[in-house]
Amino acid sequence: MADVKRVGDLEIAEDLPYQQRLWAFQRVSWVVMALIAMGSLLGLFGEGRLSDRTKGDQQNLLWLEYEQFGRYHSTTQLNIHLTPIVSTQQSAQIWISRRYLKGMQVQAIVPEPHQVVANADYLTYYFKVTNSQQPLTVTIDLQTNHIGHIAGEVGRPNQQPLQFHQFIYP
Amino acid sequence: MNPIIRGTVVYFFLSLILRIGGRRSLAQITTFDLVLLLIIGETTQQALLGDDFSLTNAFLLIITLVGIDVSMSLWKQRSPRVEKMVDGVPLIVVEDGCPLKERLKKARVGEDDILTAARELQGLERMEQIKYAVLERSGGISIIPKSDSSV
């Protein structure tokens, strides 16, 4: 039971100091809510400038575009850019760490790989290319299946692999 | 995520948000407020259930929500501090026919809201006929009219 006291003719559990504190708390909270909303517009919770990241030098043979922040059970995109290697091969290959794919469910890969080879730590995707002199971008649509920090590793043969980190909100 | 955790988080988040939103007097609830509440309910439901539409999930969530509610009411009974935190405190907004303007402003309640409540609840015509108006914990406004002799 709250403390009932007498105010004029009323018996009431009024508590002005508490009420003042509550109003102050409310005003601070409004500012916090506005900040959260602004942060969200900027991409603090995914889909925005604060969230867009690239990894690897664009002059390099391999570089990535991904989102730093994601939300649980929503979709995110990973763009893997391959710059041409002089070769006569009609196939490009990339591998992705299985640890990453455990937390992310692949929904679609564009272009579709013509072959997927699994080993203990990696899945290697093979793509047919008509002209290996041209850059290739592989877009992977992923659904987040993991909450918290997740690390990914992407590589292509004879290249330094790229590691990247994402944070998935619940 | 475990439904018990989800239910608990949603319960406390909602109670915090409604606290922050402040109590608009019930007399002020418009059609739009009602629709807004429905939308909030709908949004919450999605996050609560996730993509698990099993009966077990629903039962677990209901048990969680009702359980927390019961525990909170027991805790409130024992601790006046918790009661204040959860339910807030009533606030006198009119005293002897004089509206306490500073309080009304901070509580975001207009004098017209008080007059509306006075008309609806007591059939009063003017502010001066009100002895006390109290903004209750529930958000409603209660009116105590001056006794006939004093008007």
Side-chain angles (χ1 to χ4, degrees):
Chain A
M1 272 289 288
D3 314 318
V4 176
K5 49 182 190 187
R6 179 93 181 212
V7 180
D9 287 339
L10 278 180
E11 276 181 352
I12 190 168
E14 196 184 48
D15 186 343
L16 269 185
Y18 178 78
Q19 185 69 63
Q20 301 280 6
R21 284 206 300 277
L22 187 66
W23 281 329
F25 169 73
Q26 277 180 355
R27 270 151 185 77
V28 173
S29 307
W30 296 346
V31 175
V32 173
M33 285 201 290
L35 289 177
I36 291 176
M38 262 155 55
S40 172
L41 284 174
L42 289 173
L44 195 61
F45 304 100
E47 299 157 4
R49 290 189 68 167
L50 285 176
S51 185
D52 294 339
R53 289 278 195 289
T54 59
K55 188 88 190 190
D57 196 338
Q58 297 192 15
Q59 310 306 319
N60 255 342
L61 294 167
L62 173 71
W63 62 282
L64 307 173
E65 273 180 293
Y66 63 98
E67 282 188 305
Q68 170 81 73
F69 304 110
R71 298 185 296 266
Y72 183 61
H73 264 250
S74 70
T75 52
T76 180
Q77 222 175 44
L78 173 66
N79 283 307
I80 304 171
H81 299 274
L82 305 169
T83 39
I85 307 174
V86 181
S87 88
T88 52
Q89 277 190 355
Q90 297 289 294
S91 167
Q93 48 178 293
I94 50 169
W95 52 258
I96 303 175
S97 61
R98 293 191 83 160
R99 205 159 53 104
Y100 180 71
L101 293 174
K102 218 176 133 192
M104 294 282 191
Q105 193 187 338
V106 176
Q107 307 241 297
I109 301 180
V110 179
E112 259 186 43
H114 70 91
Q115 196 185 6
V116 184
V117 176
N119 77 19
D121 295 330
Y122 303 103
L123 284 186
T124 308
Y125 296 90
Y126 292 82
F127 300 92
K128 277 202 175 113
V129 284
T130 48
N131 184 351
S132 57
Q133 307 300 319
Q134 276 181 353
L136 171 71
T137 298
V138 176
T139 300
I140 306 182
D141 287 325
L142 300 159
Q143 191 188 45
T144 52
N145 267 342
H146 170 89
I147 295 172
H149 169 259
I150 184 166
E153 205 175 4
V154 175
R156 81 191 277 198
N158 309 319
Q159 296 297 319
Q160 187 74 19
L162 292 176
Q163 278 180 347
F164 62 101
H165 300 269
Q166 286 173 305
F167 184 84
I168 309 301
Y169 290 97
Chain B
M1 207 195 302
N2 195 303
I4 307 280
I5 299 175
R6 259 185 315 196
T8 312
V9 170
V10 166
Y11 183 97
F12 286 107
F13 176 76
L14 277 185
S15 64
L16 177 73
I17 280 292
L18 294 181
R19 211 84 268 275
I20 290 170
R23 98 198 113 174
R24 281 170 59 121
S25 80
L26 279 183
Q28 273 177 300
I29 282 204
T30 59
T31 319
F32 181 72
D33 289 331
L34 184 69
V35 173
L36 197 67
L37 277 176
L38 287 177
I39 297 174
I40 292 174
E42 189 84 356
T43 317
T44 316
Q45 180 233 337
Q46 307 267 348
L48 262 179
L49 291 178
D51 14 292
D52 181 350
F53 299 119
S54 63
L55 270 178
T56 315
N57 189 31
F59 287 170
L60 285 173
L61 277 167
I62 292 168
I63 289 174
T64 310
L65 293 174
V66 174
I68 299 173
D69 214 41
V70 171
S71 331
M72 288 306 283
S73 67
L74 287 173
W75 196 12
K76 277 192 284 191
Q77 225 175 12
R78 291 197 184 164
S79 157
R81 245 183 83 214
V82 175
E83 190 181 16
K84 271 186 206 167
M85 249 164 66
V86 177
D87 290 340
V89 287
L91 181 71
I92 299 173
V93 286
V94 175
E95 208 165 13
D96 268 327
C98 295
L100 304 167
K101 294 205 161 57
E102 192 57 32
R103 296 185 186 186
L104 283 171
K105 200 178 139 207
K106 285 221 167 133
R108 287 173 290 147
V109 173
E111 285 179 38
D112 49 336
D113 295 317
I114 295 172
L115 287 170
T116 308
R119 281 194 300 271
E120 283 177 356
L121 301 171
Q122 302 285 345
L124 298 183
E125 293 149 350
R126 294 181 301 280
M127 189 64 87
E128 69 208 36
Q129 294 170 316
I130 301 173
K131 187 174 180 191
Y132 288 110
V134 179
L135 185 57
E136 298 291 353
R137 280 193 276 232
S138 60
I141 300 172
S142 57
I143 305 284
I144 295 144
K146 284 183 181 164
S147 48
D148 289 338
S149 54
S150 60
V151 175

